[in-house]
Amino acid sequence: MIIGFDGTAMTPRLRSLLARLQPAGVILFVRNIQNPEQTRQLLQDCRECVSAPLFTCVDLEGGTVDRFRNALAAAPSAAEVFASGDRKLFRRQGEIIGKNCRALGFNVDFAPVLDLGFEASRKIMSSRTVSVDPRETVLYARQFLAGLQEAHVLGCGKHFPGLGEGRLDSHRELPAIEKSWKKLWAEDLAPYRELRRQLPLVMVAHAAYPAVTGDRTPASISNVWIKDVLRKRIGYRNLIVSDDLEMGGVLAAATIGEAAVESIDAGSDLCLVCHHEEHVLEAYEALVKKAESDRQFARRAGEAVRRVLQFKKKHAATLKMGKAGRGRQLSPPAIEKMSRALWEFGEQVRLENLTRQESVRRPRA
């Protein structure tokens, strides 16, 4: 499990929860992040409660999904960066986001978004997507992931198998995407096929695809999507994580406990429970109870645990935080430098886009 919690500092209650559950990771949101030094200390305190190396996760895409906006400065959105047409800026975005993550103590960024920017989802996804063309999406994502990697941060492609045609927000409702297998394979699934060796993690969406599965089962708890398509057809070998199990898209089909069990049973390695402690405990207890009473599920859960531990061993250098993430405090000049670099990058993207717009408007001689 990767779990979220309330608060901006370690408490006896949180310490007890982490020590008991020994989660694979934690995830922080704006509610947890006051400033860089406080965030770094909170994550260090979390690491000290867990015996295995800890995934310290954040959603940091830029634009509307930017957990560091108040702590550092605003980062431009994926769409704004892509509009520049400059591959170096695509990579630079991943690098600067990655360096800021690393400095604050994070080693996993749940980005980039691989959903295609179709009209159906435009009001919901907005500037989080870069193109309707899977080739352009791959071009951007490959560079962004390379930038994260340079900063020693693990990226995550989302939201498999694709929310580009979704008309409902999966945070609140279950989108049912009526699209044929042939079109999904050629369009929405193309980024996952092309990037299968570069994606450290893949996040599975709470959306239904009736034309593929024959029912309204969310992909996040679907054997068809996780085992048959992502693992077997696409050949993805790294970690699979569910989207937050507290979202309405999956709760339309199952309780928190049921969703956690069904997600792991369907082939996920990790499940996200991001907000309420009672839901974290409900998911944990459901997983333990099912493993104790069902040998087949216990074997599946064991496979997930082994895959996670093997992955952590392989990426031990990334998960081990250096001086920037533990022990040594972030100085005010270092924080100012990070904020300045973000602002300068945003200005560079803005000016590049203005230049491109002017060149398009300028009449040819």
Side-chain angles (χ1 to χ4, degrees), residues 248-265:
V250 70
L251 293 181
T255 66
I256 291 282
E258 290 168 345
V261 168
E262 290 177 31
S263 174
I264 298 300
D265 200 34

Side-chain angles (χ1 to χ4, degrees), residues 206-219:
H206 303 315
Y209 303 81
V212 176
T213 62
D215 58 25
R216 293 173 63 88
T217 301

Side-chain angles (χ1 to χ4, degrees), residues 35-308:
N35 59 65
E37 178 55 28
Q38 163 270 328
T39 303
R40 187 205 62 81
Q41 186 61 54
L42 175 58
L43 290 174
Q44 173 60 17
D45 291 343
C46 288
R47 281 191 290 272
E48 291 174 355
C49 296
V50 179
S51 58
L54 192 69
F55 292 129
T56 49
C57 312
V58 67
D59 287 301
L60 192 54
E61 305 165 14
T64 58
V65 181
D66 184 353
R67 313 307 189 201
F68 295 176
R69 177 182 296 271
N70 298 328
L72 289 174
S77 69
E80 289 170 328
V81 176
F82 180 75
S84 72
D86 188 337
R87 296 187 190 190
K88 292 181 180 178
L89 290 183
F90 305 169
R91 192 184 190 102
R92 176 62 177 153
Q93 184 189 25
E95 183 184 4
I96 197 169
I97 283 176
K99 284 181 175 179
N100 290 342
C101 284
R102 193 77 186 170
L104 271 63
F106 295 96
N107 52 39
V108 175
D109 180 15
F110 287 134
V113 168
L114 300 181
D115 303 316
L116 304 183
F118 294 118
E119 180 64 33
S121 64
R122 198 153 295 165
K123 288 183 179 179
I124 298 163
M125 299 302 292
S126 184
S127 59
R128 299 177 69 189
T129 62
V130 300
S131 177
V132 298
D133 188 337
R135 292 169 298 181
E136 292 182 341
T137 299
V138 168
L139 177 67
Y140 165 80
R142 180 172 280 130
Q143 294 301 319
F144 182 92
L145 287 163
L148 285 182
Q149 185 176 14
E150 285 180 15
H152 306 289
V153 169
L154 301 167
C156 175
K158 62 185 185 183
H159 307 82
F160 177 87
L163 293 175
E165 299 278 15
R167 298 182 182 277
L168 299 176
D169 185 348
S170 61
H171 288 84
R172 299 178 178 85
E173 302 174 83
L174 177 65
I177 296 173
E178 301 286 352
K179 192 168 184 175
S180 71
W181 165 254
K182 185 177 180 180
K183 284 190 174 182
L184 283 164
W185 183 257
E187 298 175 350
D188 305 73
L189 294 172
Y192 297 95
R193 294 190 284 118
E194 291 294 324
L195 298 169
R196 67 187 182 277
R197 292 187 178 89
Q198 286 182 258
L199 290 167
L201 296 98
V202 166
M203 181 180 289
V204 187
H206 303 315
Y209 303 81
V212 176
T213 62
D215 58 25
R216 293 173 63 88
T217 301
S220 54
I221 57 174
S222 167
N223 280 277
V224 172
W225 280 113
I226 299 174
K227 287 182 181 176
D228 296 345
V229 178
L230 187 52
R231 285 292 188 213
K232 295 178 182 178
R233 291 289 298 268
I234 292 177
Y236 182 68
R237 294 290 175 261
N238 287 323
L239 296 187
I240 299 172
V241 57
S242 74
D243 207 341
D244 180 14
L245 296 182
E246 291 181 281
M247 290 167 59
V250 70
L251 293 181
T255 66
I256 291 282
E258 290 168 345
V261 168
E262 290 177 31
S263 174
I264 298 300
D265 200 34
S268 290
D269 304 301
L270 297 159
C271 53
L272 267 173
V273 186
C274 293
H275 298 285
H276 302 289
E277 182 179 331
E278 61 268 29
H279 290 158
V280 169
L281 290 170
E282 182 182 344
Y284 172 77
E285 289 164 2
L287 289 166
V288 171
K289 184 177 180 181
K290 184 69 171 177
E292 289 175 343
S293 63
D294 186 326
R295 288 185 180 179
Q296 186 174 347
F297 179 79
R299 285 194 294 272
R300 166 80 275 275
E303 290 172 4
V305 170
R306 286 191 294 275
R307 189 187 294 273
V308 170

Side-chain angles (χ1 to χ4, degrees), residues 277-347:
E277 182 179 331
E278 61 268 29
H279 290 158
V280 169
L281 290 170
E282 182 182 344
Y284 172 77
E285 289 164 2
L287 289 166
V288 171
K289 184 177 180 181
K290 184 69 171 177
E292 289 175 343
S293 63
D294 186 326
R295 288 185 180 179
Q296 186 174 347
F297 179 79
R299 285 194 294 272
R300 166 80 275 275
E303 290 172 4
V305 170
R306 286 191 294 275
R307 189 187 294 273
V308 170
L309 291 177
Q310 288 168 1
F311 181 93
K312 286 185 172 183
K313 184 177 181 180
K314 179 181 177 181
H315 295 278
T318 296
L319 298 180
K320 183 179 180 181
M321 303 307 296
K323 291 181 180 179
R326 63 187 297 173
R328 197 167 113 188
Q329 289 190 346
L330 287 168
S331 66
I335 296 169
E336 174 61 29
K337 184 178 180 180
M338 289 189 290
S339 298
R340 180 76 183 181
L342 261 178
W343 180 83
E344 288 176 350
F345 177 69
E347 284 300 289

